[in-house]
Amino acid sequence: MSRGEFHALQAPRTIDVASDLMISFELGVEDLADTHFALSPLEETVLSLRVLREPGLYALHLPWRRSALARLDARDTRLLTSLVGSKLALPDFLTPRPTTFAPTFEEQLSLVRRTPPKVIRRDVPAALVAEPVPDNAAAARFRDTACDVLRRYWELTIEPIWPQMQLVLEADMTYRARQLAVGGARLLFADMHPNLRWHDGVLSIDQMIGRHHVAVSGRGLLLMPSVFAHKPTPPVHPEEPPRLTYPCRGVATLWHPAPAPDATALVSLLGAPRAALLGLLDEPLPTVELARRLKVTPSAVSQHLRVLYTTGLLTRARDGRHVLYRRSDLGDQLAVPPAPPRTEL
């Protein structure tokens, strides 16, 4: 599918997030017993498209959005935002249910590439993204174009911050698991979001673009915290396996810059002589040269080098009569702390 064909399928930009419609999940005892969590790098990537499209709903993410837009080609930005429906829904086929606890982006994208055209023709209009895709060939082109642009988008804007995002998401799951253990389903869902209500075995999600009731019927409910979700997000289509993406706790901490390194901390940890040695060894040096620079005896330097080497902070290699020492990767991390991450990414 050409960029023009892809963009032509975009629905009118009429945003109306308020709705009195509702989606509900009916969970039996076995479903509650099989309620579990997963991470989805692809779903986070797709949900972040809402931030690109409607920045007013996501003030917290504006620094990230500015940086992301600066990295993106304008044509890709248009294609990406055209995947978001007029009421901010997203086609279900772009967010497949994770098959493991923490799949990779590529593993999930490969599932999307295998989506049958008939499913795409069902999901695109259901999310109010566009007019119905006219035929299976057009659906396949739509799918392949979406996958290509999403991969580029992931590499530029999400992958660099995914390790930090994963820590925040896992912290939320730890909290939720404790809520479930302490107070059951009622406590688990109590503070997820105001749009969620748990009553008599039914989990209701308000302000949806559709209205349907799903009997989970032994399939269990998959819960996925999200950095970029502004409200609970179940699948749009009732035939999709039961899952619920919900806003993650602690998202604000993701964009806080790390504290500046404390120059005295390394001395407190290693002692002044060893900290000074570690600072000098960004290039290979022999014992005698280190002793000359520090104005101490070679034997005193050797004692400290031995300790730093055995703890993995130094590497060494023989060069003729001399043994050359240099900081290891671990030593670099201690002696030269990484710069605080940019708040944008």
Side-chain angles (χ1 to χ4, degrees):
M1 177 176 286
S2 69
R3 291 177 181 267
E5 289 177 302
F6 188 94
H7 188 62
L9 291 174
Q10 182 177 1
R13 288 179 53 81
T14 303
I15 304 300
D16 177 15
V17 296
S19 171
D20 58 358
L21 299 180
M22 178 179 67
I23 293 174
S24 58
F25 293 115
E26 182 179 346
L27 291 90
V29 174
E30 289 299 319
D31 298 313
L32 287 174
D34 196 25
T35 295
H36 57 290
F37 294 85
L39 300 175
S40 175
L42 176 58
E43 182 145 350
E44 283 295 295
T45 302
V46 173
L47 287 175
S48 72
L49 300 181
R50 292 172 170 172
V51 181
L52 298 187
R53 171 139 179 197
E54 294 301 322
L57 293 176
Y58 303 87
L60 186 65
H61 297 312
L62 289 180
W64 171 86
R65 182 180 185 272
R66 285 193 295 268
S67 180
L69 289 175
R71 293 164 181 247
L72 291 172
D73 178 275
R75 293 172 298 176
D76 278 357
T77 301
R78 288 193 297 271
L79 295 180
L80 290 162
T81 54
S82 73
L83 294 172
V84 184
S86 60
K87 294 187 178 181
L88 302 186
L90 295 153
D92 287 332
F93 83 92
L94 291 177
T95 55
R97 179 183 172 114
T99 55
T100 60
F101 170 71
T104 66
F105 178 85
E106 287 298 332
E107 287 170 346
Q108 291 195 285
L109 195 66
S110 68
L111 293 177
V112 177
R113 287 194 183 277
R114 298 197 296 271
T115 306
K118 67 177 182 180
V119 174
I120 298 164
R121 297 179 68 187
R122 178 200 76 182
D123 287 351
V124 169
L128 305 182
V129 169
E131 295 299 320
V133 182
D135 53 42
N136 287 348
R141 292 195 298 272
F142 184 96
R143 174 199 63 204
D144 294 343
T145 302
C147 287
D148 291 342
V149 72
L150 282 171
R151 174 187 278 115
R152 293 194 295 272
Y153 177 62
W154 155 263
E155 292 172 350
L156 290 172
T157 67
I158 304 296
E159 187 177 25
I161 57 169
W162 179 246
Q164 299 98 296
M165 289 175 61
Q166 188 167 347
L167 291 175
V168 173
L169 296 170
E170 290 180 351
D172 178 273
M173 289 189 288
T174 299
Y175 170 81
R176 298 295 172 194
R178 185 178 187 279
Q179 294 290 91
L180 180 62
V182 171
R186 189 178 305 278
L187 188 59
L188 170 64
F189 297 117
D191 64 347
M192 270 190 180
H193 194 272
N195 288 1
L196 284 177
R197 290 182 290 111
W198 171 259
H199 177 69
D200 199 22
V202 175
L203 180 65
S204 302
I205 308 111
D206 293 329
Q207 299 188 24
M208 296 287 101
I209 67 168
R211 185 179 187 90
H212 54 258
H213 181 84
V214 177
V216 177
S217 302
R219 292 176 290 176
L221 179 64
L222 180 64
L223 299 173
M224 293 186 293
S226 169
V227 164
F228 289 110
H230 73 292
K231 66 176 184 178
T233 305
V236 174
H237 202 279
E239 294 180 10
E240 286 294 303
R243 71 176 190 273
L244 179 69
T245 303
Y246 63 90
C248 179
R249 291 163 51 90
V251 173
T253 64
L254 185 61
W255 312 126
H256 284 176
D262 183 350
T264 65
L266 188 62
V267 173
S268 299
L269 177 66
L270 299 178
R274 290 169 188 168
L277 271 174
L278 202 61
L280 289 174
L281 286 169
D282 55 349
E283 59 176 327
L285 292 173
T287 304
V288 292
E289 175 60 18
L290 290 166
R292 186 189 68 79
R293 294 189 186 188
L294 294 172
K295 298 180 180 180
V296 296
T297 65
S299 61
V301 170
S302 294
Q303 294 175 20
H304 294 305
L305 289 175
R306 189 178 306 111
V307 173
L308 293 173
Y309 175 74
T310 55
T311 53
L313 299 180
L314 300 181
T315 62
R316 66 186 182 187
R318 181 167 290 280
D319 180 25
R321 294 182 301 164
H322 297 292
V323 175
L324 303 181
Y325 291 87
R326 186 174 187 172
R327 285 197 303 263
S328 65
D329 290 341
L330 178 59
D332 283 339
Q333 292 176 43
L334 282 177
V336 188
R342 294 161 51 189
T343 57
E344 294 90 348
L345 284 179

